[in-house]
C-alpha cells in the first residue's frame, strides 16, 4: 500500500504542476519564473526524498536568486514552493478571470504541491514497525524448520526440493516487502522519480512554448500556441542562417577589359 500510495501522490503532483504552469502562462505577463520553479520543484522533491540535492541532475535554468535559495539547503522543495507563492502574490490578470480568482486557484495548486511533499515525507519517515517485521521473520523461520518433518514421511527425498522451493518463495516475498517499504529510494525497484520529474519538465516546456534550458533574457519573448519545440528551434536556425547570408560581403566587380595595345575599353 505504501508503494501504491507513493505512486498516486506523484500522479497528483504531475496534474497539479500542469495546472499551475497553465494558469501562469494564461494569466501572467512573464510566466517563465513560475513555470521554471514548478518544473524544478519536481526534480528537487525527488532528490529531497532520497536524502540529497544534486543540482547537476536538474536541467532547468533558474535565476541567480533561485540558485542562491537552493544553496541554503534545508527543505529545498518548501523554499521553492514559497518562492512560487511570492511570484504570484501580486498577480495581475491577463485573461477574463479576475486577478483574485486566478491567484486563489494558483495558491490552491501550490498548497497541493506542499500537501504531496508532506505525504511523501510521512511515508519516508514512518518505517514499518520493527516488532511486525521481526514477528514475520520468526514465523517464517519456524515454518521452514518444521515443514520437512511434516513432508518427509509422504514425499521422501522429494521433500528437499519441495521445502527449498516453498521457503525460497516465502522469504522472497518478505524481502520484497522490505525493499518496497520506502518507494522513493534511488534503487531500480523503487518508483522512477526522475522519470516523473522529466514528465513534468516536458509538460511545462510544451505549455510555455520554449525549452526551460534556455538562459534568462530581459525582456523574454514568449511564444504562444507552439506545439512542437523542435519546430521553433528549426525556425530560429533558419533565421540565423539568413542573417549570416545578409552579412556576407559582396564580391568586387571585375576590372574592365583592356585592348591589346594597352587602351582601356569602357562600355557605356
Amino acid at each position: 500500500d505504501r508503494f501504491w500510495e507513493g505512486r498516486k501522490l506523484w500522479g497528483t503532483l504531475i496534474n497539479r504542476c500542469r495546472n499551475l504552469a497553465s494558469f501562469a502562462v494564461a494569466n501572467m505577463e512573464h510566466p517563465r519564473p513560475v513555470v521554471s520553479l514548478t518544473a524544478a520543484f519536481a526534480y528537487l522533491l525527488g532528490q529531497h526524498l532520497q536524502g540529497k540535492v544534486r543540482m547537476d541532475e536538474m536541467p532547468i535554468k533558474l535565476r541567480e536568486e533561485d540558485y542562491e535559495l537552493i544553496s541554503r539547503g534545508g527543505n529545498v522543495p518548501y523554499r521553492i514552493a514559497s518562492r512560487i507563492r511570492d511570484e504570484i502574490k501580486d498577480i495581475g490578470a491577463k485573461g477574463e478571470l479576475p486577478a483574485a480568482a486566478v491567484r486563489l486557484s494558483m495558491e490552491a495548486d501550490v498548497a497541493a504541491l506542499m500537501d504531496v511533499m508532506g505525504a511523501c515525507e510521512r511515508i519516508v519517515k514512518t518505517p514499518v514497525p520493527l516488532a511486525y517485521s521481526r514477528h514475520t521473520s520468526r514465523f517464517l523461520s519456524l515454518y521452514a524448520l518444521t515443514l520437512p518433518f511434516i513432508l518427509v514421511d509422504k514425499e521422501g527425498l522429494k521433500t528437499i526440493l519441495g521445502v527449498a522451493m516453498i521457503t525460497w518463495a516465502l522469504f522472497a516475498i518478505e524481502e520484497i516487502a522490505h525493499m518496497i517499504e520506502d518507494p522513493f529510494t534511488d534503487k531500480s525497484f523503487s518508483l522512477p522519480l526522475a522519470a516523473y520529474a522529466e514528465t513534468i519538465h516536458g509538460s511545462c516546456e510544451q505549455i510555455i512554448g520554449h525549452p526551460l534550458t534556455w538562459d534568462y533574457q530581459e525582456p523574454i519573448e514568449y511564444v504562444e500556441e507552439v506545439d512542437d519545440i523542435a519546430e521553433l528551434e528549426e525556425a530560429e536556425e533558419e533565421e540565423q542562417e539568413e542573417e549570416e547570408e545578409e552579412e556576407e560581403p559582396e564580391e568586387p566587380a571585375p576590372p574592365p577589359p583592356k585592348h591589346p595595345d594597352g587602351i582601356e575599353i569602357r562600355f557605356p
Side-chain angles (χ1 to χ4, degrees), residues 107-220:
E107 283 278 0
D109 289 327
V110 176
L113 301 188
M114 299 186 71
D115 290 341
V116 169
M117 178 183 67
C120 291
E121 289 176 338
R122 171 175 53 81
I123 293 175
V124 172
K125 296 180 180 180
T126 309
V128 175
L130 185 60
Y132 175 82
S133 178
R134 286 179 176 176
H135 175 75
T136 304
S137 298
R138 289 168 183 169
F139 173 78
L140 290 177
S141 299
L142 181 62
Y143 178 81
L145 288 173
T146 57
L147 183 61
F149 296 101
I150 299 173
L151 298 179
V152 67
D153 292 338
K154 294 183 178 180
E155 303 296 337
L157 293 177
K158 296 180 181 178
T159 302
I160 299 174
L161 179 60
V163 170
M165 294 180 62
I166 293 173
T167 53
W168 171 81
L170 293 177
F171 281 103
I173 292 173
E174 184 194 18
E175 183 63 22
I176 291 172
H178 286 295
M179 291 168 64
I180 64 175
E181 177 183 346
D182 182 0
F184 303 129
T185 63
D186 56 355
K187 306 297 182 181
S188 59
F189 49 77
S190 298
L191 291 172
L193 302 186
Y196 300 153
E198 290 173 1
T199 299
I200 295 173
H201 182 183
S203 297
C204 289
E205 287 187 340
Q206 184 176 2
I207 290 169
I208 197 172
H210 65 73
L212 299 179
T213 54
W214 287 357
D215 292 328
Y216 274 79
Q217 299 176 357
E218 296 295 341
I220 301 177

Side-chain angles (χ1 to χ4, degrees), residues 41 69 75-83 85 114 117 121:
F41 179 89
L69 186 71
N75 194 326
V76 178
Y78 173 78
R79 295 180 184 275
I80 295 297
S82 299
R83 177 57 62 89
R85 277 182 168 162
M114 299 186 71
M117 178 183 67
E121 289 176 338

